[in-house]
Amino acid sequence: QVQLVESGGELVQAGGSLRLSCTASGLTFSNYAMGWFRQAPGKGRDFVAGINLSGQNTAYADSVKGRFTISRDNAKNTVYLQMNSLKAEDTAVYSCAARSRYIDEVGTRREQYVYWGQGTQVTVAS
């Protein structure tokens, strides 16, 4: 079955950087557009960044533009989220997700994604 496993979340000081990874199994990774979402305590799950099949097209939430970068390595079945200049408001559980097979478009809405990872906690101390 499809599995998405995130890693890289930890406690970091404001202004610091982290790189999250999400490794997929049970699917042909290069056939799936991918995304990152986050959920802060008491809030809904929000779109953070998305990437198409080849990695050439990306999209970001306004709140992270210029600070976060999504990328993928299809040979390693992994999508990354590089997070720089972290702020306290970036504290959340970060989850990766995959769209349906062969959809070569960046998705920005939760309902566009069909597979989800369990998430990794990112805590930014101010």
Side-chain angles (χ1 to χ4, degrees):
Q1 73 276 22
V2 175
Q3 280 194 311
L4 304 176
V5 180
E6 302 94 339
S7 61
E10 62 182 68
L11 172 65
V12 64
Q13 293 295 314
S17 297
L18 281 177
R19 188 176 81 157
L20 305 183
S21 300
C22 168
T23 301
S25 60
L27 49 73
T28 302
F29 183 71
S30 58
N31 290 338
Y32 292 80
M34 301 295 295
W36 285 96
F37 289 75
R38 67 186 181 185
Q39 186 167 19
K43 297 188 177 180
R45 184 177 283 177
D46 294 328
F47 171 76
V48 175
I51 191 166
N52 75 328
L53 302 189
S54 66
Q56 289 187 325
N57 295 328
T58 58
Y60 297 91
D62 287 344
S63 58
V64 306
K65 277 181 184 175
R67 300 188 298 123
F68 290 11
T69 302
I70 187 172
S71 62
R72 66 189 296 160
D73 185 337
N74 286 342
K76 294 183 178 180
N77 287 2
T78 300
V79 61
Y80 303 97
L81 185 67
Q82 177 67 43
M83 305 187 295
N84 298 328
S85 302
L86 283 160
K87 305 175 182 179
E89 51 263 43
D90 294 319
T91 295
V93 174
Y94 285 72
S95 300
C96 69
R99 297 195 67 178
S100 293
R101 191 172 54 176
Y102 301 136
I103 296 180
D104 193 14
E105 294 177 358
V106 179
T108 60
R109 303 190 308 273
R110 290 191 306 271
E111 58 268 28
Q112 293 175 315
Y113 290 82
V114 295
Y115 300 111
W116 292 85
Q118 291 296 313
T120 185
Q121 176 70 47
V122 172
T123 303
V124 184
S126 57

